[in-house]
């Protein structure tokens, strides 16, 4: 069987054709990205680093990417930074902890990239099950997400030498 050149060529060509067919079907029948309409609301997808103690949370919707970083974790308050590639018109955060909700509006940073950077101060929380809701206005479109707060605690090294 392995001495037949037709079988060997077929074994080499079949996987290549399968991969090309997979891409062709994606191009023909796949969903095309739409331009965001002003006034419409779109969800942001939380990346995997939002679900563990990474020290940052990335939110994505197509080519819109935002990063939430904890700047200060005080006993009374928590200060967060929101960085984006696009200018942010407005950002509102709501902390849901123990059945109560506290909302806060973000303000622009005093930096050269102020249009794409905002900070917000929210009350400190002790509940590890707390949730952070984020609503951001970019180019007259609203983007929103609901994320766990576990990312705010940076991961401690597990192994030492």
């Amino acid at each position: 069987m392995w001495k037949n050149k037709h079988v060997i060529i077929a074994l080499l060509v079949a996987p290549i054709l399968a991969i090309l067919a997979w891409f062709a079907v994606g191009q023909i029948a796949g969903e095309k990205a739409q331009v965001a309409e002003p006034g419409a609301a779109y969800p942001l997808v939380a990346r995997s680093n939002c679900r563990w103690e990474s020290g940052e949370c990335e939110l994505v919707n197509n080519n819109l990417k935002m990063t939430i970083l904890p700047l200060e974790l005080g006993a009374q308050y928590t200060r967060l930074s929101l960085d984006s590639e696009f200018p942010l018109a407005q950002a509102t955060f709501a902390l849901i902890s123990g059945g109560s909700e506290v909302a806060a509006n973000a303000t622009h940073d005093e930096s050269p990239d102020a249009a794409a950077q905002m900070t917000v101060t929210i009350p400190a929380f002790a509940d590890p099950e707390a949730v952070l809701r984020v609503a951001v206005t970019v180019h007259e479109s609203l983007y929103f997400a609901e994320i766990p707060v576990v990312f705010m605690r940076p991961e401690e090294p597990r192994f030492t030498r």
Side-chain angles (χ1 to χ4, degrees):
M1 178 172 118
W2 295 108
K3 295 182 181 181
N4 187 339
K5 63 182 174 184
H6 296 97
V7 172
I8 294 172
I9 292 173
L11 288 174
L12 293 173
V13 171
I16 296 170
L17 290 177
I19 293 171
L20 290 175
W22 183 69
F23 281 110
V25 168
Q27 289 294 324
I28 294 169
E31 184 178 340
K32 305 291 187 260
Q34 300 292 323
V35 176
E37 297 177 15
Y42 300 99
L44 289 167
V45 177
R47 295 285 180 151
S48 62
N49 63 352
C50 298
R51 294 186 292 271
W52 52 279
E53 299 172 342
S54 64
E56 70 178 12
C57 178
E58 295 176 357
L59 303 171
V60 179
N61 184 325
N62 200 11
N63 62 349
L64 177 67
K65 295 180 177 109
M66 298 179 200
T67 305
I68 301 173
L69 299 165
L71 297 177
E72 293 180 42
L73 298 171
Q76 300 295 323
Y77 64 91
T78 300
R79 210 165 127 238
L80 301 174
S81 169
L82 176 65
D83 298 331
S84 172
E85 297 176 357
F86 294 98
L88 304 171
Q90 181 181 1
T92 303
F93 289 75
L95 178 67
I96 301 171
S97 177
S100 64
E101 181 174 343
V102 178
N105 289 324
T107 57
H108 286 285
D109 287 350
E110 296 177 13
S111 67
D113 297 329
Q117 295 177 347
M118 299 183 99
T119 57
V120 65
T121 302
I122 58 175
F125 54 91
D127 184 11
E129 299 296 319
V131 174
L132 187 66
R133 288 184 180 165
V134 181
V136 179
T137 305
V138 178
H139 296 300
E140 299 179 7
S141 297
L142 178 69
Y143 294 89
F144 61 91
E146 186 172 296
I147 52 177
V149 296
V150 69
F151 75 91
M152 291 188 200
R153 305 287 186 227
E155 185 176 27
E156 297 175 8
R158 295 182 186 172
F159 303 104
T160 58
R161 289 185 174 196

